[in-house]
Amino acid sequence: CTLQQVANDLNLIDLPFKERFEETPWDKTFPLIRDSRKCIKCMRCIQICDKIQGLNIWDVTSTGSRTTINVNGNKKINIEMQNTYQEDWTERSLFYNCRMFTEGFKKGEPYWKLSPCIHVGILNFNMMKSPGYYHKVTLRDEKTNELYSRKFQFHMIELKKTKTAKGKARKHPLYRWARLIAATTWEEVAQESAGNRYMERIQEEIYNLINNE
């Protein structure tokens, strides 16, 4: 495994220190699962997510011996994929963000501690009238467009619109991932994932899942 490879590279054959596993509870309903007991604090997950994938999801939190990995900015993220048109999609996304916003908040805590909530909708139907396939919705003043708060965000990826994307939109890293998700044949999956080891790994996992059913 990668952990053993890193240990061998650093010539760490024996462990002279007392084993101390980090026990960090993780919400099993959260779409990004991380077992903190297996973390060796190499920070490579942050670098790959930031420099290669350009997603900026993970970040370092706390200091000293308490240093660990968490979602960037202590955000709460809900990701949903919807294949068929949902007339109440707007209300649905608002509901989930509102529920996340207050979940776990204790009486007497200051309101500034409430974590930013991000709802990501990957839709196989067109929700917005504008032609772009990616939309970011925040709370803003209707007249001045001044930002009211960043703690409520809604991100929508409309898969059907990726076919008509042009120029800079096609060069964004998100575009290729959206095209991979939208793929309906093995040929399209192979075409979109070619040359990207993370996408090729996903292609392999999907293939194994299907063949093992």
Side-chain angles (χ1 to χ4, degrees):
C1 69
T2 304
L3 177 58
Q4 290 174 324
Q5 182 180 341
V6 172
N8 291 333
D9 291 342
L10 298 174
N11 197 29
L12 296 175
I13 308 302
D14 298 315
L15 185 63
F17 307 107
K18 181 181 179 181
E19 292 184 356
R20 187 183 67 179
F21 296 108
E22 180 185 339
E23 294 290 344
T24 304
W26 196 264
D27 184 0
K28 299 300 183 183
T29 64
F30 191 70
L32 303 172
I33 302 301
R34 173 182 172 272
D35 189 346
S36 60
R37 295 173 299 176
K38 298 179 180 179
C39 180
I40 60 172
K41 309 294 191 296
C42 67
M43 310 304 172
R44 288 185 297 170
C45 58
I46 297 177
Q47 295 300 316
I48 291 173
C49 190
D50 184 15
K51 306 298 182 183
I52 298 177
Q53 295 177 304
L55 300 177
N56 303 306
I57 293 175
W58 303 107
D59 199 1
V60 177
T61 60
S62 298
T63 58
S65 62
R66 300 184 302 276
T67 299
T68 188
I69 311 299
N70 206 336
V71 177
N72 190 1
N74 197 31
K75 301 179 181 75
K76 294 180 179 180
I77 304 175
N78 180 54
I79 302 176
E80 285 194 80
M81 297 183 68
Q82 196 62 248
N83 194 43
T84 57
Y85 175 71
Q86 297 289 321
E87 186 177 359
D88 60 352
W89 177 259
T90 302
E91 289 76 16
R92 179 190 179 99
S93 60
L94 284 167
F95 171 79
Y96 280 112
N97 249 16
C98 289
R99 188 173 70 175
M100 279 198 306
F101 196 58
T102 57
E103 196 171 36
F105 191 69
K106 298 177 182 178
K107 183 179 179 180
E109 285 188 310
Y111 291 114
W112 61 263
K113 280 193 173 183
L114 286 164
S115 299
C117 291
I118 300 173
H119 186 274
V120 180
I122 303 174
L123 313 178
N124 198 34
F125 58 88
N126 294 338
M127 183 71 190
M128 307 295 280
K129 295 180 180 179
S130 54
Y133 69 91
Y134 169 67
H135 307 273
K136 179 180 178 180
V137 181
T138 55
L139 298 177
R140 292 181 177 273
D141 186 294
E142 286 187 4
K143 185 177 181 180
T144 65
N145 202 37
E146 181 182 353
L147 182 67
Y148 181 69
S149 175
R150 294 186 184 276
K151 292 200 170 184
F152 252 48
Q153 295 182 29
F154 302 87
H155 298 253
M156 282 177 287
I157 301 172
E158 297 172 302
L159 299 178
K160 291 185 179 297
K161 291 181 180 178
T162 58
K163 296 179 180 179
T164 57
K166 299 178 181 179
K168 292 182 179 179
R170 283 179 171 265
K171 296 179 181 180
H172 195 282
L174 181 62
Y175 173 78
R176 194 170 177 186
W177 283 102
R179 290 298 299 155
L180 178 62
I181 297 172
T184 57
T185 65
W186 279 115
E187 289 77 14
E188 290 178 348
V189 171
Q191 179 181 351
E192 298 299 337
S193 59
N196 185 307
R197 59 175 176 164
Y198 302 104
M199 292 182 177
E200 289 173 348
R201 179 66 182 274
I202 291 175
Q203 178 187 356
E204 181 182 338
E205 289 295 331
I206 295 174
Y207 183 80
N208 290 336
L209 283 171
I210 292 175
N211 286 323
N212 291 332
E213 287 183 352

